[in-house]
Amino acid sequence: MPWSPWTRTRKKWLPVSRMLPFIMAIALFMEQMDSTVIATALPEIARDLETSPIALKLAMTAYLVALAIFIPASGWIADRFGPKKVFLTAIAVFMGSSVLCSAADSLGFFVVARFVQGMGGAMMTPVARLVLVRGTPRNQLVEAMAWLTIPALAGPLVGPPVGGFITTYASWEWIFLIDIPIGLVGMAAIWRFLPQMPVLNPPPLDWTGFFLVAGAASGIVFGMSVISLPALLVQFGLVAIVAGAICLFAYWRHAHRAEKPILPLSLLSIPTLRASVAGGSFFRIGIGAVPFLLPLMLQLGYGLTAFESGMITFIGAVGAMSMKFAAVSIFRRFGFRPVLIATGILSSISVAAIAAFPPNGTMAIGLYLVLLISGFVRSLYFTGINALAYVDVPESQTAQATAMSAVAQQTSIAIGVAVAGAILEATLYFGSGELTIASFNIAFILVAAIMTLGTLPMLRIDHDAGAEASGRLVRRNDTTQA
């Protein structure tokens, strides 16, 4: 019988199930902030390591590639060794590699340290979500995901101003050392409050499937990263994408023949999981592009400093955190389908609207308002899309569903950055040869158009999909009894 917080008395386990999102969020915030905080410090790090900022972007690519390689095996590893042990180990690896990053004295050392850090991050996010799903009753899943969504949204927004402040007033090494106290708090909370979930007995790891999925995900992520943030020749990126596509096709054939594939494609026959993966992927392409486009527009287009632009983007984090308090009531009142359709459309509109409000004079108020609203609706969307993925997945397959969702998330975010970079490159080629405000405006509008495609899979799910998780089922039953 899978672990559940309800296997003992309700009075004993209820506080633990309520605390799970907070415990998981500590580690996830550390990871999400770390993945973006480095961007503002690249010039300073490059100067100390005696290399160029473009070459140093290999370190960012190494982190993303490590995620792509090891995420597919995260579910199996959690089942085999126990989620609590794996999660604690992942945080320890992440912290240790952060110390190595701060001590790096060469480009090669730094790239290797970032790759190891990505290995730890690959275990943290999927395993945290797995623990949350298994440890939370279905009718509390939306509330739990609302809390877990906050670090995913706030981290990329808080990271740039924090990174800019530390780099300006201290030293770039402290960007990585701030992971240590955050990680220690997370480990202490996990050790004290997270129950020891039983170790399952999964089938032997599908090694062929693992290498094919890892090759597909890492090839696409690496290729997209090289194209969007050229630290190598673009040809390397194109070759990597083609290799990733070949591995993906090979895995599709392998998964239909293997008895226990590492990521069972049969899971996509579940309408809610399929809609979550497909719709969320299109949406995350836009979300992955915005943190790349917005700081560049504010700094290159409007001449703001890294710290000033980071303080502007921070307003979106305020909106994201505020929406948590209304998320449960909104999903209970309307259900998944209409809320995800509405928030998907509103998010797309808010991204396109960024192009209309430059950060100067009275127009700055409009930009702040757009970013605040964007934070509201994105938080609500991610809360719903993350919960929707699990509402109909059998308990025995939550690990595979978690890994599948995580692979799709990382790949789509990398594609989003690449798409944004390609749009800017196209405006350079067909325009004046310089990045202008118009270049960024075009990029925001096109990215917003791609985001709207994420609403199409939501139209295909049932209106009452996930009624138990959203609370609509309980509400309807109470009304009927009355």
Side-chain angles (χ1 to χ4, degrees):
M1 177 179 178
W3 178 88
S4 168
W6 305 104
T7 53
R8 296 190 182 183
T9 65
R10 183 181 181 91
K11 185 177 295 185
K12 179 178 179 63
W13 284 107
L14 181 58
V16 176
S17 68
R18 293 290 191 186
M19 291 186 66
L20 280 178
F22 299 98
I23 298 172
M24 302 297 104
I26 293 173
L28 295 191
F29 178 78
M30 174 177 66
E31 180 195 358
Q32 291 292 333
M33 188 176 72
D34 187 273
S35 63
T36 54
V37 75
I38 184 178
T40 55
L42 282 180
E44 194 68 28
I45 299 174
R47 191 159 34 249
D48 277 7
L49 299 184
E50 298 181 350
T51 186
S52 69
I54 291 180
L56 195 60
K57 287 176 181 177
L58 280 172
M60 301 177 69
T61 301
Y63 182 88
L64 295 174
V65 169
L67 290 179
I69 291 174
F70 294 102
I71 280 177
S74 60
W76 185 89
I77 293 173
D79 281 347
R80 175 65 181 82
F81 298 101
K84 182 174 182 177
K85 183 184 296 183
V86 172
F87 199 50
L88 285 169
T89 303
I91 296 178
V93 170
F94 195 89
M95 291 167 55
S97 56
S98 295
V99 174
L100 292 178
C101 286
S102 69
D105 58 0
S106 67
L107 176 61
F109 191 110
F110 192 69
V111 169
V112 171
R114 284 290 286 175
F115 185 86
V116 176
Q117 197 174 41
M119 293 172 60
M123 296 294 112
M124 285 204 304
T125 301
V127 174
R129 190 169 286 122
L130 175 62
V131 168
L132 196 65
V133 172
R134 287 183 176 174
T136 304
R138 288 295 167 96
N139 62 352
Q140 295 178 16
L141 191 57
V142 170
E143 181 180 3
M145 286 296 177
W147 283 109
L148 197 66
T149 298
I150 290 176
L153 292 170
L157 297 171
V158 173
V162 171
F165 181 85
I166 291 176
T167 304
T168 302
Y169 298 106
S171 175
W172 66 265
E173 288 88 352
W174 287 100
I175 285 177
F176 298 100
L177 295 179
I178 59 175
D179 289 338
I180 306 306
I182 300 175
L184 289 175
V185 170
M187 292 184 73
I190 293 166
W191 183 269
R192 172 66 179 84
F193 297 107
L194 186 63
Q196 192 69 255
M197 301 181 185
V199 176
L200 303 181
N201 188 28
L205 181 64
D206 172 24
W207 286 103
T208 300
F210 168 72
F211 285 116
L212 288 175
V213 173
S218 61
I220 294 173
V221 169
F222 177 77
M224 291 295 182
S225 299
V226 169
I227 290 174
S228 59
L229 303 171
L232 298 173
L233 293 176
V234 173
Q235 288 85 338
F236 283 102
L238 295 176
V239 170
I241 292 173
V242 171
I246 293 173
C247 288
L248 183 62
F249 177 73
Y251 179 76
W252 180 79
R253 297 193 61 180
H254 166 78
H256 284 86
R257 296 194 303 265
E259 183 178 353
K260 296 289 184 180
I262 189 170
L263 298 180
L265 297 183
S266 58
L267 283 174
L268 295 177
S269 63
I270 302 174
T272 47
L273 177 61
R274 184 173 63 247
S276 175
V277 172
S281 294
F282 280 113
F283 191 84
R284 285 185 177 89
I285 289 176
I287 295 305
V290 171
F292 171 77
L293 289 172
L294 187 55
L296 282 179
M297 184 183 74
L298 295 175
Q299 293 177 48
L300 299 182
Y302 294 102
L304 302 184
T305 66
F307 182 62
E308 289 171 337
S309 68
M311 292 307 295
I312 290 177
T313 60
F314 178 74
I315 193 67
V318 176
M321 289 183 282
S322 301
M323 180 50 72
K324 182 271 153 198
F325 300 101
V328 176
S329 298
I330 291 173
F331 280 103
R332 182 180 295 123
R333 174 66 180 85
F334 299 102
F336 284 104
R337 184 176 182 269
V339 173
L340 289 174
I341 292 173
T343 53
I345 294 173
L346 289 173
S347 293
S348 302
I349 294 173
S350 66
V351 168
I354 292 175
F357 298 101
N360 50 51
T362 57
M363 298 295 283
I365 299 176
L367 179 60
Y368 289 140
L369 184 59
V370 164
L371 293 177
L372 185 66
I373 294 173
S374 178
F376 286 150
V377 292
R378 282 190 293 116
S379 176
L380 198 56
Y381 183 91
F382 278 129
T383 295
I385 204 74
N386 289 335
L388 183 69
Y390 301 100
V391 294
D392 296 321
V393 174
E395 186 75 24
S396 60
Q397 293 184 296
T398 52
Q400 293 94 328
T402 299
M404 182 179 292
S405 297
V407 170
Q409 290 173 21
Q410 292 300 326
T411 305
S412 57
I413 290 173
I415 292 174
V417 176
V419 167
I423 295 172
L424 293 181
E425 288 293 329
T427 62
L428 286 174
Y429 181 79
F430 293 105
S432 62
E434 295 182 358
L435 284 179
T436 63
I437 299 299
S439 302
F440 291 101
N441 291 345
I442 292 171
F444 278 117
I445 292 171
L446 292 179
V447 164
I450 295 174
M451 288 177 65
T452 59
L453 299 177
T455 62
L456 298 180
M458 303 305 143
L459 297 173
R460 299 176 63 87
I461 63 175
D462 187 75
H463 187 80
D464 288 331
E468 180 183 0
S470 67
R472 294 189 75 240
L473 181 63
V474 175
R475 181 185 180 91
R476 188 165 59 249
N477 287 344
D478 289 346
T479 304
T480 302
Q481 293 173 4

